[in-house]
Amino acid sequence: MSDFDFGVVEYENRLEAAQRLMQRDRLDAILITGEDHFRYFTGFNSPTWVNLTRPRYAVLPCQGEITLIIPTSNTEIASRTSWVRDVRSWIAPQPADDGISLLRDAIRCVPRRYGRVGAELGPESRLTMPVGDFLRLGRELATTELVDAYPLLRELLMRKSAAEVAKIEAIGQIASSAYEALPGRLRAGMSIREACMAFRQELLERGAETSPYVIGVAERLGYPCINLEPSSKTISEGDVLVIDTGSTRHGYFCDFNREYAFGPLHEKLRHIYSIVWNATEVGIQVTEPGRKMGDIWQQMSNSMQHASEAIGLPFEPFALGRMGHGLGLRMCETPSIAPDVNTVVEPGMVLTIEPSMAYQIEVDGETRRYVCVHEENIAVTPNGVSLLNRRAPPEMPTIG
Amino acid sequence: MSDFDFGVVEYENRLEAAQRLMQRDRLDAILITGEDHFRYFTGFNSPTWVNLTRPRYAVLPCQGEITLIIPTSNTEIASRTSWVRDVRSWIAPQPADDGISLLRDAIRCVPRRYGRVGAELGPESRLTMPVGDFLRLGRELATTELVDAYPLLRELLMRKSAAEVAKIEAIGQIASSAYEALPGRLRAGMSIREACMAFRQELLERGAETSPYVIGVAERLGYPCINLEPSSKTISEGDVLVIDTGSTRHGYFCDFNREYAFGPLHEKLRHIYSIVWNATEVGIQVTEPGRKMGDIWQQMSNSMQHASEAIGLPFEPFALGRMGHGLGLRMCETPSIAPDVNTVVEPGMVLTIEPSMAYQIEVDGETRRYVCVHEENIAVTPNGVSLLNRRAPPEMPTIG
């Protein structure tokens, strides 16, 4: 009784592609510990990753089959969700040896050509096992060098198959519907938390499976950041509410935000919304195979700078470090759409286009520094891009 | 405009307690990277942890104030949710130096007494930063030794304050209400996924903030495991559905499950449910300050073995490795209620009591191996325990 995200051919293709890169990078094997990498290569899928007590390991050899090393309590998960048949297990928790000797033996059984085994070590990675056990593994493997395989893994996961893009589009459409339904449920006087709970309900009813990222910020005439836990603060007339979500279906994320104005929209906000909306349009239009990430960033930045100056507004960048990123089994993946990033756009990439700018505005006699961030999700095609969610409206929706 | 989980005195107490243990364990400082430890010591609270691009660091010195080292895009979060005032930041992502030189300098500024700095390295820990950066930090700190601080951290977090226990009870009561409301929404013919979506809605409407763990399994006359992503399989008459959740409010988890029988309950299942329900009762009753974790396990195991043998049922343990665990800012914390665990019960501990047994049953002429797991959440008081959720009914609820 299998419950796979994809057909077996998709997993076989992924393993083959990884093995080609492993030969290029001179790796005998790659040790996988992270939830997204696990699901990508093995199919293994369960909410049990929330429990940090029991680690799990997959060994991808340069040739041949994957080995899964998992707690006995996870073997039923593997038999239903994974195409991998070489499954070894131990009764966990067993702090003195939580799978480490099984893992060491599995790595030793891989034919030795390069004496190098890759692991999730580089920038943006997380090794999803105790680091003390990883260091012990390194000592026990002695002459085998443990090196960073993270760039290889991200190079692979960056290029999505058509079946993956379809899953990201499915959750993008669900979240679009949830955002579009929200004005009917929002009213001044409710708290930010209540507004975000209503949004979570809309997501759930429309088929989102998890919503690990739901933020909400609302202040008078704007918002100063886009990553706060929704608070119990009451939303008042004149506030602008921003909501952002990373929600999933079949493990794949959408990631985009929307803004709502309570009461008539201030003239300055109307301009800024329009400037950032247009920069998003520029980002979507200039993204195509062959273009560098840094160039997309520059085009969006130029667009906002020129449009700001045209109406006499000083252009202030927002120190987010980038204006978009990869999207897939993680909410935020490489590459970054940031200055000086030379990664080239390729068909199959899924990206967020996320321009932002800062501005100052007078609120009750005091100058506040706010930001405006827009975000859309796109897939790169052979000739350009396709939008995976429904575009934000060209004017900010108003409530009441 | 602060939005703290607790008053500042609670955080001051936590830091002081940590500093006492740091002197005992001869540590100049502890490096904190994980979400739960961050929230515990600094208050810092945001859904942004889902984004793995930007790491964040807290340095707890053996004397004096905490230093936060966070991306500029996180400083507004810190100013609203954290009591820590020494906040240093950089524009992230910056893969060549994502906060590491700031972190190194902060650690170098801590007075050197022992030449040892602790980090989250031991069994059950996760270092929430790239391991490559951690190894680089170790090289740059040169004569300062990076050692495991995980046992110290868990020793501290294991003993909850009254304010923490109140938060765990709040989410326990919410989840109890959601489970109790569920029979009115369940019917044969719906899928496991639909049943779990209804449960998620009930949790949300009653005030759960996140539900990162919701599993559902339903098969004829039982279930073979308790950690599957809810599938699209249709629930039929004669099935038993198990749902388990780790849901949160203010960051604190509940963790317990419930079972529902579709149609009249099979006689053997009635017995097994009762055996495990009674073992839970034993676990709750024998837990008191001074008792060892291994002893609680033994008493529950004995209870199930005697009760099984009394009705001629062979007793089979379920290879879960334990029958309960700590609960708090993580769904599964130390200690484990497992054989040979000598950790002693103390007032302030919050535990799950989670006995389980396996059994065999004939289904359509074929022998299936199923499990039965019950779980409740308790807090240890000076004299015994208090139940933080509402007890499962003594007989399995039936649907239809």
Side-chain angles (χ1 to χ4, degrees):
Chain A
M1 188 187 324
S2 69
D3 202 13
F4 289 6
D5 292 328
F6 298 97
V8 169
V9 172
E10 175 99 4
Y11 295 110
E12 288 173 341
N13 290 343
R14 293 173 181 183
L15 178 59
E16 267 178 44
Q19 290 176 329
R20 276 193 299 275
L21 295 181
M22 287 159 74
Q23 288 186 26
R24 182 196 69 186
D25 290 356
R26 303 178 58 252
L27 296 175
D28 291 332
I30 295 177
L31 163 61
I32 295 293
T33 65
E35 179 175 2
D36 55 340
H37 295 152
F38 234 84
R39 189 160 181 173
Y40 184 79
F41 288 112
T42 77
F44 184 96
N45 163 32
S46 164
T48 195
W49 290 93
V50 179
N51 176 352
L52 305 187
T53 300
R54 299 181 183 88
R56 45 196 78 76
Y57 309 100
V59 177
L60 274 57
C62 187
Q63 283 187 315
E65 303 297 317
I66 298 172
T67 299
L68 274 184
I69 296 157
I70 56 177
T72 47
S73 58
N74 286 190
T75 53
E76 188 72 27
I77 302 170
S79 76
R80 294 186 189 219
T81 66
S82 177
W83 70 297
V84 176
R85 292 287 71 101
D86 179 4
V87 178
R88 307 173 193 182
S89 64
W90 81 101
I91 297 177
Q94 203 179 119
D97 181 9
D98 256 326
I100 297 303
S101 56
L102 284 176
L103 172 59
R104 179 202 58 208
D105 293 347
I107 292 176
R108 280 188 184 154
C109 284
V110 172
R112 187 186 174 89
R113 294 170 62 187
Y114 309 113
R116 287 156 44 93
V117 169
E120 299 139 318
L121 303 180
E124 302 194 34
S125 71
R126 297 288 183 274
L127 192 68
T128 311
M129 66 182 284
V131 168
D133 280 348
F134 178 75
L135 298 175
R136 172 181 153 197
L137 177 71
R139 289 190 299 273
E140 295 192 3
L141 289 174
T143 59
T144 297
E145 194 186 358
L146 291 170
V147 301
D148 186 19
Y150 199 69
L152 181 160
L153 293 170
R154 299 323 304 192
E155 181 181 339
L156 205 60
L157 271 74
M158 206 151 74
R159 301 182 198 115
K160 271 78 178 171
S161 69
E164 289 184 282
V165 172
K167 287 192 191 288
I168 301 172
E169 181 165 19
I171 185 66
Q173 296 300 321
I174 288 168
S176 291
S177 300
Y179 279 124
E180 288 160 9
L182 210 48
R185 302 193 53 173
L186 298 178
R187 52 176 177 70
M190 76 197 308
S191 71
I192 302 174
R193 184 172 289 153
E194 286 165 340
C196 290
M197 285 294 158
F199 181 57
R200 279 186 183 274
Q201 284 168 343
E202 294 292 335
L203 286 165
L204 200 54
E205 280 161 22
R206 287 174 163 74
E209 286 172 0
T210 76
S211 295
Y213 189 79
V214 173
I215 67 89
V217 191
E219 307 219 342
R220 189 150 169 75
L221 298 182
Y223 50 94
C225 65
I226 50 155
N227 46 19
L228 296 182
E229 174 71 26
S231 77
S232 54
K233 177 178 173 281
T234 300
I235 305 171
S236 306
E237 281 289 317
D239 283 4
V240 171
L241 168 68
V242 63
I243 295 183
D244 192 359
T245 191
S247 289
T248 72
R249 191 171 163 86
H250 298 162
Y252 284 86
F253 273 92
C254 67
D255 177 15
F256 61 101
N257 72 339
R258 292 294 180 257
E259 298 158 283
Y260 304 91
F262 286 72
L265 191 60
H266 188 285
E267 189 64 12
K268 185 167 185 173
L269 294 191
R270 189 187 304 277
H271 285 306
I272 289 165
Y273 184 97
S274 175
I275 289 169
V276 183
W277 194 93
N278 285 324
T280 313
E281 205 63 17
V282 167
I284 294 170
Q285 277 163 16
V286 302
T287 303
E288 58 183 355
R291 198 177 284 271
K292 288 181 178 170
M293 296 297 155
D295 187 31
I296 304 172
W297 184 91
Q298 193 63 58
Q299 299 272 353
M300 287 192 277
S301 181
N302 290 349
S303 162
M304 290 186 287
Q305 179 155 17
H306 297 154
S308 297
E309 288 168 1
I311 58 166
L313 195 71
F315 174 61
E316 279 189 74
F318 174 34
L320 255 184
R322 63 185 183 185
M323 293 194 200
H325 53 80
L327 178 68
L329 287 166
R330 275 195 196 168
M331 189 177 87
C332 300
E333 301 188 348
T334 51
S336 289
I337 299 179
D340 306 322
V341 172
N342 289 321
T343 309
V344 168
V345 175
E346 291 179 51
M349 281 183 174
V350 174
L351 299 167
T352 70
I353 295 294
E354 189 178 5
S356 62
M357 60 182 277
Y359 62 96
Q360 303 203 348
I361 196 164
E362 294 288 312
V363 178
D364 304 331
E366 146 199 332
T367 303
R368 298 238 184 122
R369 190 164 187 276
Y370 285 143
V371 297
C372 179
V373 182
H374 284 209
E375 193 171 17
E376 306 289 3
N377 300 162
I378 60 171
V380 182
T381 63
N383 310 311
V385 302
S386 68
L387 195 61
L388 301 183
N389 57 353
R390 293 197 292 279
R391 194 77 172 82
E395 301 210 346
M396 196 190 300
T398 55
I399 309 296
Chain B
M1 188 187 326
S2 69
D3 201 13
F4 289 5
D5 292 327
F6 298 96
V8 169
V9 172
E10 174 98 5
Y11 295 110
E12 288 171 342
N13 290 343
R14 293 173 181 184
L15 177 59
E16 267 177 44
Q19 289 175 330
R20 275 194 300 274
L21 294 181
M22 286 159 73
Q23 287 184 28
R24 182 197 69 184
D25 291 356
R26 306 177 56 252
L27 296 176
D28 291 332
I30 295 178
L31 163 61
I32 295 291
T33 66
E35 180 174 1
D36 55 340
H37 296 152
F38 233 84
R39 190 161 181 173
Y40 184 80
F41 288 112
T42 77
F44 185 96
N45 162 32
S46 164
T48 195
W49 290 94
V50 179
N51 176 353
L52 305 187
T53 300
R54 299 182 183 87
R56 44 196 80 74
Y57 309 100
V59 176
L60 273 58
C62 187
Q63 283 188 315
E65 302 297 317
I66 298 174
T67 300
L68 274 184
I69 297 158
I70 56 177
T72 47
S73 58
N74 285 187
T75 52
E76 188 73 28
I77 302 169
S79 76
R80 294 185 188 219
T81 66
S82 177
W83 71 297
V84 176
R85 292 287 72 99
D86 178 4
V87 178
R88 307 172 194 182
S89 64
W90 80 101
I91 297 178
Q94 204 180 118
D97 182 9
D98 256 325
I100 296 302
S101 56
L102 284 175
L103 172 59
R104 179 201 59 208
D105 294 347
I107 292 175
R108 279 189 184 151
C109 284
V110 172
R112 185 186 176 90
R113 295 171 62 190
Y114 309 114
R116 288 156 44 93
V117 169
E120 299 138 317
L121 302 180
E124 303 195 31
S125 71
R126 297 288 183 275
L127 191 68
T128 310
M129 66 181 284
V131 169
D133 281 349
F134 178 76
L135 298 174
R136 172 181 151 196
L137 177 73
R139 288 191 299 272
E140 295 191 3
L141 290 174
T143 59
T144 297
E145 194 186 358
L146 292 170
V147 301
D148 186 19
Y150 199 68
L152 181 160
L153 292 170
R154 299 322 305 190
E155 180 180 341
L156 205 60
L157 271 73
M158 208 150 72
R159 301 181 198 115
K160 271 78 181 174
S161 69
E164 289 184 282
V165 172
K167 288 192 191 286
I168 302 172
E169 181 165 19
I171 185 66
Q173 296 301 321
I174 288 168
S176 291
S177 301
Y179 279 122
E180 287 160 9
L182 210 48
R185 300 193 55 172
L186 297 178
R187 50 173 179 71
M190 79 197 307
S191 71
I192 302 174
R193 183 171 291 151
E194 286 165 340
C196 290
M197 286 293 158
F199 180 57
R200 280 186 182 274
Q201 284 169 343
E202 294 294 333
L203 286 165
L204 200 52
E205 279 161 23
R206 287 174 164 74
E209 286 172 0
T210 75
S211 296
Y213 189 79
V214 174
I215 66 89
V217 190
E219 307 218 342
R220 188 149 170 77
L221 299 184
Y223 50 92
C225 65
I226 51 155
N227 46 19
L228 296 181
E229 173 72 25
S231 76
S232 54
K233 178 179 173 276
T234 301
I235 306 172
S236 307
E237 280 290 318
D239 283 3
V240 172
L241 168 69
V242 63
I243 295 183
D244 193 358
T245 192
S247 288
T248 72
R249 191 171 163 86
H250 299 164
Y252 285 85
F253 274 92
C254 69
D255 178 15
F256 61 101
N257 72 339
R258 291 293 180 257
E259 298 158 281
Y260 304 91
F262 287 71
L265 191 59
H266 187 285
E267 190 62 13
K268 184 165 187 174
L269 295 191
R270 189 187 306 276
H271 286 305
I272 289 165
Y273 184 96
S274 174
I275 289 170
V276 182
W277 194 93
N278 286 324
T280 313
E281 206 64 15
V282 167
I284 294 169
Q285 277 163 16
V286 302
T287 302
E288 59 183 356
R291 197 177 283 271
K292 287 182 179 168
M293 295 299 154
D295 187 30
I296 304 171
W297 184 91
Q298 193 63 58
Q299 300 271 355
M300 287 193 277
S301 181
N302 291 350
S303 162
M304 289 186 288
Q305 179 156 15
H306 297 155
S308 297
E309 288 168 0
I311 58 164
L313 195 70
F315 174 60
E316 281 188 74
F318 174 34
L320 255 184
R322 62 185 182 188
M323 294 195 201
H325 52 80
L327 177 69
L329 287 166
R330 276 195 196 167
M331 188 176 87
C332 299
E333 301 188 347
T334 48
S336 289
I337 299 179
D340 305 322
V341 171
N342 290 321
T343 309
V344 167
V345 174
E346 292 179 51
M349 280 184 175
V350 174
L351 299 167
T352 70
I353 295 294
E354 187 179 5
S356 61
M357 60 181 277
Y359 63 96
Q360 303 202 348
I361 196 165
E362 294 287 312
V363 178
D364 303 332
E366 145 199 334
T367 304
R368 298 238 183 123
R369 190 166 187 276
Y370 285 141
V371 297
C372 179
V373 182
H374 284 210
E375 193 171 17
E376 306 289 2
N377 300 160
I378 60 171
V380 181
T381 64
N383 311 310
V385 303
S386 69
L387 195 62
L388 301 182
N389 57 352
R390 293 198 291 280
R391 193 78 172 83
E395 300 210 346
M396 194 188 303
T398 54
I399 309 297

